[in-house]
Amino acid sequence: MTDKPCRVVLQPSGLTYSAGPGTDLLSAAAGAGIEVPAACRNGVCEICEARLLAGPALNTRNQQHIPVSGRLMLCRTFALGNLELEMTAVMAAGENQPRKFQAKVVDVRSISHDVYRVELQLPRRRELSFHAGQYLSVNLPDSDPCYFSIASSPSRPTIELHIQASPDWLSAQNVIDALTSGRDVTIELPFGKACLAAAPEEPLVLVAAGTGFAQMKSLVDYLRETSYGQPVRLYWGVRRHEDMYLRALAQQWAHEWPQLTFLPVVGDDEDNDWSGHHDQLVRAVLASGMDWQRVRVMASGSPVMVYTLLDALLEAGLPQSAFFSDVLEYAPRD
């Protein structure tokens, strides 16, 4: 058996992870945050099945080498070298197909002067698969869908949303009014390509404006469940101190998770318009002095903020392929 970590590639998703010596492939995948179908706790076998496309692997049950093109169970396989496996049940980031569900409203509570935390429960939660950082729509009768980032990790039994609502934002206020009525609501998910199906290999820079923090919360909660060990820098920009509705939580992350650095950016200026506030957030990100050729950036906020940040980082040397935001998909530039 090799004494070095082996690289495992899952096809057709293209997801990769490392399997250390003496670690079965299923446990190693879980450590990398890759969702592999398994039901070992229920005594059901033959679910985490894959086909060996290339590389040496050992069946830990009979201590036999597995032939190329042979079937294997990840839970009882060790990598003896770099492997390539076929496992169609594992989806690449953002490739899950959206589906509609009836969700039960578990809780709606105000967490700031204009932001509500919503908790939804699905009767068939095991049927739902999404990736950290994706979003959903709330579909009310006779209304256009309203889209909100999922603020919880995919492993959570319930779904968390952060909804900014006021009389000025009629659609969001209508959603809050409907949810607080206690009736079930139709949701559709998942949406979005700016997400994680596995822990990345490079350091992460997370940039959020306003309730864009919800997407970052999903990403941080997910990464903390994995063996991810790279540095994470979280920037959260708001206009006023009271708009940073979960600042204590972000500070708690930074205290409990050594690789995370939390950098709040507060305009705190009544005369500061949103464009000026976004410039301040972008300047704070650029001031980090990071090697922009070696990081991944994930951004959540308005199109103005996201494209201002993108242009500045590209000029600073960030490859465009290392910048992820759902804005690029739903509000593309000409």
Side-chain angles (χ1 to χ4, degrees):
M1 184 177 299
T2 179
D3 59 355
K4 297 180 180 179
C6 300
R7 188 175 184 83
V8 181
V9 181
L10 301 180
Q11 301 293 7
S13 68
L15 297 178
T16 63
Y17 66 98
S18 294
T23 303
D24 65 79
L25 298 184
L26 181 61
S27 298
I34 298 176
E35 185 179 359
V36 173
C40 301
R41 292 182 179 178
N42 297 330
V44 180
C45 199
E46 312 303 321
I47 292 181
C48 62
E49 185 180 56
R51 186 166 69 93
L52 181 62
L53 299 179
L58 179 72
N59 184 324
T60 60
R61 180 163 295 181
N62 59 21
Q63 298 300 306
Q64 298 294 312
H65 287 252
I66 300 168
V68 172
S69 294
R71 312 301 295 187
L72 58 85
M73 300 298 118
L74 268 66
C75 64
R76 56 174 187 259
T77 301
F78 285 166
L80 302 180
N82 295 337
L83 301 179
E84 185 175 1
L85 308 177
E86 180 184 59
M87 195 168 200
T88 57
V90 175
M91 306 297 291
E95 293 301 318
N96 322 65
Q97 292 302 307
R99 298 171 56 192
K100 289 184 177 180
F101 296 86
Q102 284 295 113
K104 179 179 178 59
V105 181
V106 177
D107 186 48
V108 179
R109 67 180 61 187
S110 174
I111 55 176
S112 81
H113 62 286
D114 64 353
V115 177
Y116 294 82
R117 179 188 179 275
V118 175
E119 188 176 4
L120 303 175
Q121 187 173 56
L122 275 61
R124 304 185 308 277
R125 178 64 180 85
R126 291 182 181 177
E127 297 180 13
L128 170 63
S129 177
F130 68 92
H131 293 137
Q134 292 195 283
Y135 61 96
L136 57 71
S137 69
V138 176
N139 303 339
L140 300 179
D142 303 319
S143 299
D144 292 332
C146 291
Y147 295 92
F148 304 101
S149 293
I150 300 171
S152 44
S153 166
S155 67
R156 283 282 306 276
T158 57
I159 292 174
E160 179 181 342
L161 307 176
H162 299 164
I163 299 180
Q164 188 173 23
S166 74
D168 297 332
W169 295 312
L170 187 59
S171 59
Q173 187 62 55
N174 288 342
V175 170
I176 290 299
D177 291 342
L179 296 177
T180 53
S181 71
R183 71 173 189 251
D184 290 352
V185 64
T186 300
I187 61 175
E188 186 172 3
L189 71 163
F191 298 101
K193 305 289 186 181
C195 57
L196 294 176
E201 296 181 346
E202 61 270 88
L204 271 176
V205 176
L206 308 178
V207 185
T211 52
F213 176 78
Q215 182 182 24
M216 303 309 157
K217 180 179 179 299
S218 175
L219 294 171
V220 171
D221 283 349
Y222 164 76
L223 288 171
R224 292 185 68 189
E225 297 167 356
T226 73
S227 56
Y228 184 67
Q230 294 284 356
V232 179
R233 296 178 71 88
L234 169 62
Y235 294 84
W236 188 6
V238 295
R239 185 186 294 187
R240 295 177 294 270
H241 284 281
E242 58 265 32
D243 296 330
M244 196 163 287
Y245 55 91
L246 285 178
R247 181 172 185 152
L249 175 63
Q251 291 171 329
Q252 180 181 340
W253 289 338
H255 176 71
E256 296 176 349
W257 197 33
Q259 61 256 49
L260 185 136
T261 302
F262 172 50
L263 299 114
V265 181
V266 182
D268 205 17
D269 184 351
E270 292 289 344
D271 298 324
N272 185 20
D273 62 19
W274 273 112
S275 61
H277 166 67
H278 291 154
D279 288 339
Q280 182 182 5
L281 176 59
V282 171
R283 288 196 300 271
V285 175
L286 290 174
S288 67
M290 300 193 70
D291 182 353
W292 294 109
Q293 304 241 359
R294 301 179 181 274
V295 301
R296 180 184 301 197
V297 177
M298 305 191 76
S300 183
S302 71
V304 172
M305 185 280 282
V306 168
Y307 284 117
T308 301
L309 177 65
L310 173 61
D311 292 341
L313 291 180
L314 292 181
E315 186 175 347
L318 180 79
Q320 183 145 2
S321 60
F323 186 92
F324 296 84
S325 175
D326 289 317
V327 166
L328 307 183
E329 182 181 359
Y330 71 74
R333 291 194 289 200
D334 295 333

